[in-house]
Amino acid sequence: MDKLLANQPAVLTIAGSDSSGGAGIQADLKTFAAHGCYGTSAITALTAQNTKGVQHVFPSSPEFLTQQLSSILDDIDVKAMKTGMLFDEKVAQAAIHTLKTHYASASSLPPLVCDPVCVSTSGHTLLDPNAIDTIIRELFPLATLITPNKAEAELLLSREARKSSRQIETVEDMLLAAEDLLSFGSKAVLLKGGHLTASVDDVRRVARAHPEIEVVRDGLLMSDEENMEILRVNCGAGGDSSALSSCELVVDVLHESSGSTSARRTMILCRSRIESTSTHGTGCTLSAAIAARLASGSDLANAVRFATRYTHLGIETADSTIGHGHGPLNHFHSMQQLFVPRITPTNPYPLSSLFIRKTSRVWKAYVEHDFVKLLGKGTLPKENFVHFIRQDYLYLRYYARAYALLAAKSSSFSAIGLATQTILNVLNEINTHTAFCATFGVSEETLLTQTPESPATAAYGAYLIDVGLRGDTTMLLVALLSCLLGYGEVGLWLKKNARPTIATPGSDDRWVILEGNPYLQWIEDYSGERYQGAVRMGLATIEARAAADPPSKHRLEEWCAVWERCTELEKGFWDMAMNLS
Amino acid sequence: MDKLLANQPAVLTIAGSDSSGGAGIQADLKTFAAHGCYGTSAITALTAQNTKGVQHVFPSSPEFLTQQLSSILDDIDVKAMKTGMLFDEKVAQAAIHTLKTHYASASSLPPLVCDPVCVSTSGHTLLDPNAIDTIIRELFPLATLITPNKAEAELLLSREARKSSRQIETVEDMLLAAEDLLSFGSKAVLLKGGHLTASVDDVRRVARAHPEIEVVRDGLLMSDEENMEILRVNCGAGGDSSALSSCELVVDVLHESSGSTSARRTMILCRSRIESTSTHGTGCTLSAAIAARLASGSDLANAVRFATRYTHLGIETADSTIGHGHGPLNHFHSMQQLFVPRITPTNPYPLSSLFIRKTSRVWKAYVEHDFVKLLGKGTLPKENFVHFIRQDYLYLRYYARAYALLAAKSSSFSAIGLATQTILNVLNEINTHTAFCATFGVSEETLLTQTPESPATAAYGAYLIDVGLRGDTTMLLVALLSCLLGYGEVGLWLKKNARPTIATPGSDDRWVILEGNPYLQWIEDYSGERYQGAVRMGLATIEARAAADPPSKHRLEEWCAVWERCTELEKGFWDMAMNLS
């Protein structure tokens, strides 16, 4: 079962609202959702904003921020949180105070990612300078991680009284800055290097000087340390190692403390720089993705690693047609539609009902075929029934072989066993066919040796075998389903419309005659518990397959085509029986 | 390509913020996202709210609502919009005025769904009564659809001066109310029946009296008009038609005008009533889902039909552990994770690099095998090379058969052609093997008749055929990939480490000797353009497959297992060559 149906960990964002939907709580909620988390939000300020900039700001009040936070925290078990734009000192204080009040101790606080948003990508100042000291002094010590970019890190480090203004230009500068930022008291620092330029050689140089540093290159196809020459030369990056050395990278530095200085750990995350204007809300998205991963139980290093990759792909797959300035990321690049609805109490057979509804016309033509109606009334000419039974006898040989093929293609003993049991059931079912033939004066000898195969029988039987050879076991199960379900449906439909033996008063439009019907045994067979049990088993099997291995749109279309073809072939089978062709 | 990568239509919500994330703009944004749309939001008021109720409200100002709307509409091409809680008369007027100003005429306005939110599920009054008349008079005439529930419909109809207070209790009442509500000027009315109780008999009665009304039962498994007896009897609803008749339904009425009274169209949407407390934000979600469908180009009837089903499933699949009162819906039940990242410029081979990274240890043991290293240095003993070539000759017979199986399983001429071309390439490759043997003193006669198959050869070859028989064509392509990519990688790796014929000054750690290397031809073959072209083709094929038919988690795990097994078998093949086993 995937995460979207299991419990969704709740995550809280405390940030501003971005009307255009690409940053702020909107970006956070989208990111939480893309990670299978449930998003809640306490809004510090509204902005009238779009991809070209922030036009207006309308602050919430400190009291109202507290009220929003209390409503959330009193009711919902929040597994991780993040802060974004905290607007001003009073709002920041309200947020900090509420968190401290709600959680008795810092250790009971869920993981907190603090994105020290000071200035927007578009250059708009988003944080009152007075608030910065409050955040450094009171919020950072509560944080699992702070995520400054270059400008924010420089600003934060310049607030330290003893230091003069600080510039971060190289990977070495980043390492030192991350170390200094950790002294503000958060458990870890992610210093984002999106506004810096680094090269493969820079990273190599730093890695050689600091062998204790872990260098993560998995956002970097061109890494030459992974035995992926075939992918490098073929992706246009070229195998030329001098070109590789000068290629532009984005480097983030994660610096973690685990209490003592000696246990500190540093990771450098590298990825290829991409040229894009779809960067509105990048910082919000990254910190939200880290919080979501932490809420799901990931450790910090992995949370950061996957969150940076998620954010990078969000930029790379962005829909650049949204807005006229710096457009939003694609927050849902890591998701796809589900094409078969989930199994629920009111829809326990979503795939089977989808098949039937998509082909309702041919399905009805099959299960309410004239052959079936005449059989129900008992007026079907004997020669049509006998012709049908003799051809069905030949068809069942294909059907048994198809299940044998299913067994041969199965990889578990239980699947092999189920398919084999069905073959045994078919071998049993053919006895009913010889019995029917005997009843209608056709000897087993005649049945066996003097029954030429109809084209309709060959078409259907060979199609089953062809599907079985072409596709996987699920595809074959789909091919076998129309016959299984259709005969079960016919059996139940006839039974439902059977006129009671003791006539009820008034009109009764039930038209199936059981008493004295020469085909009564056939009706009893397919409506009976034995066959209906097989139907239940078949339904359970195919639905479990589709739930455990949800098909793509492409695969579902293939399944539907196979189902429809088999349903047409079933109808064709009864056409053949009526025409004695 | 699915909708998540194609252009995402932008949708706008004008509504309140729900801190707990289940209603308001938060529910709207989640719903838009689940429908592949890009969400924007103009906030009318903040609420401090949770699953137990609305604790506090903090209104935005009319001016700031206008500013938010202007920021959005000036920059982003909105394809549909919805209104939710409009708070009070001035805010409602600001919204209406801004829309009228931005869109020159009503006909240029994108589809607008107006959810006349007056009272929350938890009983909190969310709309200033003075605002109601403004909304009726000025907003409804702009709306494509209004979506009142029972209480809202009764309230709205009671505002009409000539009418006394109005009660809606039956399906017939709903039809009349929907008709009356249409007179307020919207193009259509969806009267929601969630707070009413109806039965199958009620719907049958209304359908008989109004044959022009379309009854949609697709949210209703127990419909007895669809030839689905097999699904009914097996789902616990029972085949008993008296039980069915008394079963509780939820009925919504959609009433559409297309200008003239005669062209009006009514649809009744039925679904099974479900007992659930996860209903917080149901109304927001439904109207947002309709707006999202309209933004994607759906007609109104289909938008409503799919949106009601989406909302119903949202309730049915909800995570009931969120909050202590009326919890939120599951907005993402219709989505699943994507397990292979999308193809992007910096990651053009996401599946292949995922395979290699997941099996990096065994992959390295394969492509940097001692056999390869000695071969590169030219010091590999002749008997090991000859043993390898003779076994590889036998292996290629399996390999050619596996491609023949691929051709047999393919359903397009292009796929059949590609597989066939590979067989021809293999038949060509064996000539190089006989040539190598001749060079090393082994005659073709000896190669053909005196080469007993090694267990490593049989294991690998038979595994390819087994995978080919068991799975679909993509699974077989995965099995064939390790050999194709690995030999390409070895060829490039050796070439990359080849020492230049004219020695360069200073140290050079390149260790592959080409000049005088007895295996030079082998290195040239696999690093050469002919073989590398095949690698490119193979990469393109498998990546295109995975992109067009994204695997579920289950399928990806199967693929990874097959890839890993083949990579181990490749390593085993060179172990065999080294041990002459």
Side-chain angles (χ1 to χ4, degrees):
Chain A
M1 174 119 10
D2 69 325
K3 199 116 137 280
L4 295 175
L5 250 197
N7 287 1
Q8 295 172 21
V11 189
L12 164 65
T13 172
I14 307 172
S17 156
D18 168 5
S19 53
S20 74
I25 64 131
Q26 284 82 358
D28 296 340
L29 292 172
K30 290 174 183 182
T31 303
F32 297 157
H35 288 82
C37 292
Y38 180 77
T40 65
S41 51
I43 295 178
T44 56
L46 301 179
T47 67
Q49 181 174 169
N50 57 31
T51 66
K52 293 182 283 186
V54 178
Q55 284 83 38
H56 303 275
V57 179
F58 184 90
S60 174
S61 70
E63 297 71 34
F64 195 73
L65 181 64
T66 297
Q67 290 169 342
Q68 292 177 79
L69 286 170
S70 298
S71 289
I72 297 165
L73 297 173
D74 289 350
D75 186 38
I76 293 172
D77 183 19
V78 166
K79 298 292 187 199
M81 40 182 81
K82 67 151 277 186
T83 59
M85 191 257 279
L86 293 175
F87 189 66
D88 68 11
E89 193 175 0
K90 292 211 170 126
V91 166
Q93 277 170 344
I96 295 161
H97 180 73
T98 310
L99 292 183
K100 282 185 174 166
T101 309
H102 190 86
Y103 296 100
S105 68
S107 65
S108 64
L109 196 76
L112 168 65
V113 179
C114 176
D115 184 10
V117 180
C118 306
V119 178
S120 75
T121 306
S122 57
H124 198 95
T125 300
L126 292 171
L127 187 67
D128 174 14
N130 293 332
I132 296 178
D133 292 331
T134 302
I135 288 172
I136 291 177
R137 205 173 48 245
E138 296 191 51
L139 188 58
F140 284 3
L142 301 177
T144 308
L145 179 72
I146 63 171
T147 63
N149 60 25
K150 168 178 156 40
E152 289 158 349
E154 288 170 349
L155 182 64
L156 291 168
L157 290 172
S158 303
R159 308 293 294 183
E160 270 198 284
R162 287 151 299 170
K163 305 225 170 166
S164 59
S165 107
R166 183 79 176 258
Q167 292 296 314
I168 303 170
E169 301 297 347
T170 65
V171 181
E172 283 86 349
D173 290 347
M174 289 182 76
L175 289 174
L176 288 174
E179 180 110 24
D180 289 346
L181 287 162
L182 200 60
S183 68
F184 289 135
S186 64
K187 291 196 194 67
V189 173
L190 176 67
L191 177 52
K192 298 176 293 189
H195 297 109
L196 282 167
T197 296
S199 70
V200 170
D201 283 345
D202 291 336
V203 174
R204 282 199 187 123
R205 186 183 65 240
V206 171
R208 266 196 300 270
H210 302 275
E212 76 284 2
I213 292 178
E214 187 183 351
V215 179
V216 173
R217 295 183 172 81
D218 52 15
L220 205 63
L221 183 62
M222 293 149 301
S223 165
D224 54 353
E225 280 137 61
E226 293 183 291
N227 309 101
M228 293 203 202
E229 293 296 315
I230 31 167
L231 305 190
R232 282 175 62 196
V233 294
N234 289 317
C235 85
D240 178 359
S241 56
S242 68
L244 176 65
S245 301
S246 61
C247 152
E248 279 196 14
L249 303 187
V250 172
V251 169
D252 297 325
V253 170
L254 175 67
H255 192 55
E256 277 187 88
S257 136
S258 41
S260 67
T261 312
S262 62
R264 288 184 176 187
R265 173 184 175 188
T266 306
M267 184 186 270
I268 294 182
L269 300 110
C270 313
R271 57 188 182 281
S272 310
R273 179 176 291 282
I274 39 179
E275 288 309 316
S276 173
T277 57
S278 300
T279 54
H280 179 79
T282 303
C284 306
T285 300
L286 176 64
S287 53
I290 298 169
R293 289 257 168 201
L294 293 175
S296 306
S298 179
D299 67 51
L300 185 65
N302 272 314
V304 169
R305 189 168 172 163
F306 285 103
T308 51
R309 206 189 305 176
Y310 164 81
T311 306
H312 175 88
L313 279 172
I315 298 171
E316 226 181 354
T317 61
D319 175 355
S320 59
T321 66
I322 298 169
H324 297 84
H326 284 269
L329 282 61
N330 177 1
H331 287 103
F332 292 96
H333 64 79
S334 60
M335 297 187 86
Q336 59 175 324
Q337 253 189 283
L338 191 66
F339 294 95
V340 177
R342 295 177 194 279
I343 293 172
T344 56
T346 65
N347 194 15
Y349 306 113
L351 180 63
S352 308
S353 56
L354 185 152
F355 282 153
I356 293 175
R357 287 200 169 112
K358 273 204 182 247
T359 58
S360 56
R361 201 179 309 240
V362 58
W363 173 254
K364 191 183 179 89
Y366 160 29
V367 298
E368 297 191 3
H369 198 277
D370 274 349
F371 181 91
V372 176
K373 290 180 185 166
L374 294 178
L375 189 148
K377 290 175 188 162
T379 56
L380 180 70
K382 178 192 134 182
E383 64 266 31
N384 296 97
F385 186 76
V386 171
H387 184 64
F388 161 71
I389 287 291
R390 293 173 75 172
Q391 291 301 319
D392 200 43
Y393 180 87
L394 297 182
Y395 166 78
L396 285 175
R397 203 165 54 196
Y398 288 105
Y399 196 74
R401 284 174 56 211
Y403 271 99
L405 189 51
L406 181 64
K409 293 171 80 97
S410 296
S411 46
S412 75
F413 279 121
S414 67
I416 296 169
L418 268 176
T420 306
Q421 187 55 53
T422 306
I423 302 174
L424 296 175
N425 293 346
V426 172
L427 295 179
N428 182 59
E429 197 177 346
I430 60 164
N431 291 329
T432 67
H433 285 57
T434 49
F436 277 127
C437 283
T439 309
F440 291 96
V442 178
S443 72
E444 193 168 350
E445 171 70 15
T446 308
L447 177 60
L448 274 170
T449 61
Q450 291 172 47
T451 308
E453 188 178 69
S454 287
T457 310
Y460 193 5
Y463 183 73
L464 290 181
I465 302 299
D466 178 40
V467 169
L469 288 172
R470 273 195 287 132
D472 61 9
T473 53
T474 309
M475 175 93 105
L476 180 48
L477 282 169
V478 169
L480 292 162
L481 195 66
S482 187
C483 175
L484 179 68
L485 297 194
Y487 278 64
E489 181 68 20
V490 164
L492 293 182
W493 186 58
L494 290 175
K495 258 306 173 68
K496 184 183 157 194
N497 285 293
R499 193 167 290 178
T501 35
I502 298 156
T504 46
S507 73
D508 189 333
D509 55 2
R510 284 177 286 180
W511 50 272
V512 175
I513 311 294
L514 294 183
E515 212 174 0
N517 189 322
Y519 312 117
L520 177 63
Q521 188 56 48
W522 194 92
I523 298 173
E524 297 291 354
D525 284 349
Y526 290 104
S527 62
E529 179 45 34
R530 190 196 192 101
Y531 191 81
Q532 292 295 325
V535 169
R536 274 195 298 280
M537 178 75 87
L539 283 171
T541 304
I542 197 75
E543 296 292 343
R545 284 291 181 101
D549 180 14
S552 65
K553 184 164 189 274
H554 177 83
R555 282 228 298 165
L556 181 58
E557 280 167 2
E558 280 184 348
W559 292 358
C560 285
V562 168
W563 161 271
E564 183 164 23
R565 188 84 183 99
C566 287
T567 306
E568 286 164 355
L569 288 163
E570 282 289 355
K571 177 189 171 289
F573 205 84
W574 274 334
D575 289 344
M576 168 268 285
M578 291 307 287
N579 302 331
L580 302 175
S581 57
Chain B
M1 172 118 11
D2 69 326
K3 203 116 132 282
L4 294 174
L5 250 198
N7 287 3
Q8 294 172 22
V11 189
L12 162 66
T13 171
I14 307 172
S17 157
D18 169 5
S19 53
S20 74
I25 64 130
Q26 284 81 359
D28 295 340
L29 293 173
K30 290 174 184 182
T31 303
F32 297 158
H35 287 84
C37 291
Y38 179 77
T40 65
S41 51
I43 295 178
T44 55
L46 301 178
T47 67
Q49 180 173 173
N50 58 30
T51 67
K52 293 182 285 184
V54 178
Q55 285 82 41
H56 303 275
V57 179
F58 184 92
S60 172
S61 70
E63 296 71 34
F64 196 74
L65 181 65
T66 296
Q67 288 169 342
Q68 292 176 79
L69 286 170
S70 297
S71 289
I72 298 165
L73 297 174
D74 289 350
D75 186 37
I76 294 172
D77 182 19
V78 166
K79 297 293 188 197
M81 41 182 81
K82 68 152 276 188
T83 59
M85 192 258 281
L86 292 175
F87 189 67
D88 68 10
E89 193 175 358
K90 291 213 171 124
V91 166
Q93 276 170 344
I96 294 161
H97 180 74
T98 311
L99 293 183
K100 283 186 174 168
T101 309
H102 190 85
Y103 296 99
S105 67
S107 65
S108 65
L109 196 76
L112 167 66
V113 179
C114 176
D115 184 8
V117 179
C118 307
V119 179
S120 76
T121 306
S122 57
H124 198 96
T125 299
L126 291 170
L127 187 68
D128 175 13
N130 292 333
I132 296 178
D133 293 331
T134 301
I135 289 173
I136 291 178
R137 205 173 46 245
E138 296 191 50
L139 188 58
F140 285 2
L142 301 177
T144 308
L145 179 72
I146 63 171
T147 63
N149 61 24
K150 168 179 156 41
E152 288 157 351
E154 288 170 350
L155 182 63
L156 291 168
L157 290 173
S158 304
R159 308 294 294 183
E160 270 198 284
R162 288 150 299 169
K163 304 226 170 164
S164 60
S165 106
R166 183 78 177 257
Q167 293 295 314
I168 302 171
E169 302 297 345
T170 63
V171 181
E172 283 85 350
D173 291 346
M174 289 182 74
L175 290 174
L176 289 174
E179 179 109 24
D180 289 346
L181 286 162
L182 201 60
S183 68
F184 289 135
S186 64
K187 290 195 194 68
V189 173
L190 177 66
L191 177 52
K192 298 177 293 189
H195 298 109
L196 281 168
T197 297
S199 68
V200 170
D201 283 344
D202 291 336
V203 174
R204 282 199 186 124
R205 186 184 64 241
V206 170
R208 266 197 300 270
H210 302 275
E212 76 285 4
I213 293 179
E214 187 182 352
V215 179
V216 173
R217 294 181 172 82
D218 53 14
L220 203 64
L221 184 61
M222 292 148 304
S223 164
D224 55 351
E225 281 137 60
E226 292 183 293
N227 309 101
M228 293 202 201
E229 292 297 314
I230 31 167
L231 305 188
R232 282 175 63 196
V233 294
N234 289 317
C235 85
D240 178 359
S241 57
S242 67
L244 176 66
S245 301
S246 62
C247 152
E248 279 196 13
L249 303 188
V250 172
V251 169
D252 297 326
V253 170
L254 174 67
H255 192 55
E256 278 187 87
S257 133
S258 42
S260 65
T261 312
S262 62
R264 287 185 176 187
R265 172 184 175 188
T266 306
M267 184 186 271
I268 295 182
L269 301 111
C270 312
R271 56 189 183 280
S272 309
R273 177 175 293 281
I274 39 180
E275 287 310 314
S276 173
T277 58
S278 300
T279 53
H280 179 79
T282 304
C284 305
T285 300
L286 176 64
S287 53
I290 297 170
R293 288 256 167 202
L294 293 175
S296 306
S298 180
D299 67 52
L300 184 65
N302 272 314
V304 168
R305 187 168 174 164
F306 286 104
T308 51
R309 205 190 305 177
Y310 164 81
T311 306
H312 175 87
L313 279 172
I315 298 171
E316 225 181 354
T317 61
D319 176 354
S320 60
T321 67
I322 298 168
H324 296 83
H326 284 270
L329 281 61
N330 177 1
H331 287 104
F332 292 95
H333 64 79
S334 59
M335 297 187 86
Q336 59 175 326
Q337 253 189 283
L338 192 67
F339 295 94
V340 177
R342 294 176 194 279
I343 294 172
T344 56
T346 66
N347 194 15
Y349 306 113
L351 180 63
S352 307
S353 55
L354 185 153
F355 282 152
I356 293 175
R357 287 199 168 113
K358 274 206 182 244
T359 58
S360 56
R361 201 180 311 242
V362 59
W363 172 255
K364 192 184 177 88
Y366 159 31
V367 298
E368 297 192 3
H369 198 278
D370 275 349
F371 180 92
V372 175
K373 290 180 183 164
L374 294 178
L375 189 148
K377 290 173 187 161
T379 58
L380 179 71
K382 176 192 136 185
E383 63 267 33
N384 295 96
F385 186 76
V386 171
H387 184 63
F388 161 72
I389 285 290
R390 292 173 74 173
Q391 291 301 319
D392 200 43
Y393 180 85
L394 296 182
Y395 167 78
L396 285 176
R397 204 165 51 196
Y398 289 104
Y399 197 74
R401 284 176 53 213
Y403 271 99
L405 189 51
L406 181 64
K409 292 171 81 96
S410 296
S411 47
S412 74
F413 279 120
S414 66
I416 295 168
L418 269 175
T420 305
Q421 186 55 52
T422 306
I423 302 173
L424 295 176
N425 293 346
V426 172
L427 295 179
N428 181 59
E429 197 177 346
I430 60 165
N431 291 331
T432 68
H433 285 57
T434 50
F436 278 127
C437 284
T439 311
F440 291 98
V442 178
S443 73
E444 192 168 352
E445 170 71 14
T446 307
L447 175 62
L448 273 171
T449 61
Q450 292 172 48
T451 307
E453 187 179 70
S454 288
T457 310
Y460 193 5
Y463 183 73
L464 290 182
I465 302 298
D466 179 38
V467 169
L469 287 172
R470 273 195 287 131
D472 61 9
T473 52
T474 310
M475 175 93 105
L476 180 49
L477 282 170
V478 169
L480 292 163
L481 195 66
S482 186
C483 175
L484 179 69
L485 296 193
Y487 278 64
E489 181 68 21
V490 164
L492 293 183
W493 186 57
L494 291 174
K495 257 307 171 68
K496 183 183 159 194
N497 284 294
R499 192 168 289 177
T501 35
I502 299 154
T504 46
S507 74
D508 189 330
D509 54 4
R510 284 177 285 178
W511 50 272
V512 173
I513 311 293
L514 295 183
E515 213 172 359
N517 189 322
Y519 312 116
L520 176 64
Q521 187 56 48
W522 194 92
I523 299 172
E524 298 290 357
D525 282 350
Y526 290 104
S527 61
E529 178 46 33
R530 189 196 192 102
Y531 191 81
Q532 292 295 327
V535 169
R536 273 197 299 279
M537 178 75 86
L539 283 171
T541 303
I542 196 75
E543 297 292 345
R545 284 290 181 105
D549 180 14
S552 66
K553 184 163 189 274
H554 176 85
R555 282 230 297 167
L556 181 59
E557 281 166 2
E558 280 184 348
W559 291 359
C560 285
V562 168
W563 162 270
E564 183 163 25
R565 188 86 184 98
C566 288
T567 308
E568 286 164 356
L569 288 163
E570 282 288 354
K571 176 189 171 290
F573 204 85
W574 274 333
D575 289 344
M576 168 269 286
M578 293 307 287
N579 303 330
L580 302 175
S581 58

